[in-house]
Amino acid sequence: MTVAEVRAYLRVPRSTFYKWMNTGQGPKSIRLPNGERRIRRSDLLEWMQERQAE
């Protein structure tokens, strides 16, 4: 999933999402050779499950 798709799904602003990513609190992501990030749907769902348990 693209960052925009994940942000829309989570309904969070861009600044919040990148804050999570920069502090290591966001879902795992893959950086493509062109510099863009992608998040696997499975990693996003796992990350959400971890947050639900807290």
Side-chain angles (χ1 to χ4, degrees), residues 17-47:
F17 183 80
Y18 281 105
K19 180 178 169 185
W20 291 344
M21 297 304 287
N22 290 333
T23 59
Q25 297 175 352
K28 293 178 191 174
S29 66
I30 300 165
R31 185 174 295 274
L32 301 177
N34 65 2
E36 294 181 14
R37 290 189 179 268
R38 294 290 188 271
I39 295 94
R40 288 187 177 106
R41 190 175 308 272
S42 59
D43 288 337
L44 176 61
L45 295 176
E46 180 181 332
W47 177 80

Side-chain angles (χ1 to χ4, degrees), residues 1 3-13 17 20 26-27 39 44-45 47-48:
M1 299 175 73
V3 170
E5 290 170 336
V6 172
R7 287 184 31 244
Y9 181 76
L10 296 174
R11 297 182 182 171
V12 296
F17 183 80
W20 291 344
I39 295 94
L44 176 61
L45 295 176
W47 177 80
M48 290 173 60

